[in-house]
Amino acid sequence: MIAAMPAAEAASGTRSISIVVPLYNEEENVEELYRRVTDIVGDATAEFIFVDDGSTDRTFERLSAVAAGDERARILRFRRNFGQTAALSAGIDHARGDIIVPMDGDLQNDPADIPRLLDKLDEGYDVVCGWRREREGNLLTRRLPSWVANRLIALLTG
């Protein structure tokens, strides 16, 4: 997760938070993710931008139900799967908050970390970043490709 804004300003309502979540076939996680995020955000000025990246399951229907009950929730829907980077970029492009907090839709980013990120911003940092310590998922289809991609990026960019 990455965040950008002082926590004191977020808590006081003088700044707003945009939580951007790309989702692809995450129907099982939508309600739990929404509950966890809203529990953490509470009454702070916030919006939730859910980007359905061409899901073929009921992700969009579940997101629609969430959005119908909360005016802070907005949904962007892609006709087909364009990938996490495109979905995240679209969500960020539509964000109106002073702080943007991107999260994965698979519940591997803990919304409970958001206050810690905001506290670091309150110390004067412009950008705060976190990462998963224990990544879940299949070794061959998720973890190994991610490791290879990260190493290649590091090699190419220094």
Side-chain angles (χ1 to χ4, degrees):
M1 287 189 278
I2 300 172
M5 183 193 81
E9 291 173 339
S12 70
T14 60
R15 301 285 181 152
S16 60
I17 303 168
S18 293
I19 298 175
V20 178
V21 186
L23 299 112
Y24 177 70
N25 290 342
E26 296 288 350
E27 69 178 311
E28 308 261 331
N29 296 328
V30 169
E31 288 89 357
E32 179 67 15
L33 172 68
Y34 172 75
R35 184 192 61 76
R36 288 184 190 182
V37 170
T38 55
D39 284 352
I40 292 300
V41 171
D43 293 334
T45 303
E47 68 176 348
F48 314 112
I49 301 174
F50 299 106
V51 184
D52 181 358
D53 187 21
S55 296
T56 58
D57 65 359
R58 298 187 62 228
T59 297
F60 180 74
E61 287 80 10
R62 301 248 172 122
L63 289 172
S64 296
V66 163
D70 189 339
E71 65 185 21
R72 300 174 299 174
R74 295 191 295 145
I75 305 168
L76 303 176
R77 186 180 193 190
F78 289 174
R79 285 178 284 191
R80 65 174 183 86
N81 180 250
F82 286 94
Q84 183 178 27
T85 301
L88 188 57
S89 180
I92 290 170
D93 286 347
H94 284 83
R96 296 180 283 212
D98 300 308
I99 303 174
I100 297 174
V101 180
M103 299 182 61
D104 287 344
D106 60 6
L107 300 175
Q108 289 196 44
N109 296 134
D110 189 354
D113 291 332
I114 293 173
R116 292 175 50 209
L117 295 170
L118 297 176
D119 287 343
K120 281 296 180 187
L121 289 170
D122 197 30
E123 292 177 19
Y125 294 96
D126 293 325
V127 176
V128 179
C129 178
W131 64 91
R132 291 181 268 206
R133 293 176 80 170
E134 302 291 328
R135 184 177 180 118
E136 296 178 20
N138 184 294
L139 177 65
L140 291 177
T141 61
R142 290 194 104 157
R143 294 172 63 194
L144 182 61
S146 176
W147 182 86
V148 170
N150 288 336
R151 296 304 171 262
L152 182 59
I153 291 167
L155 178 69
L156 294 174
T157 64

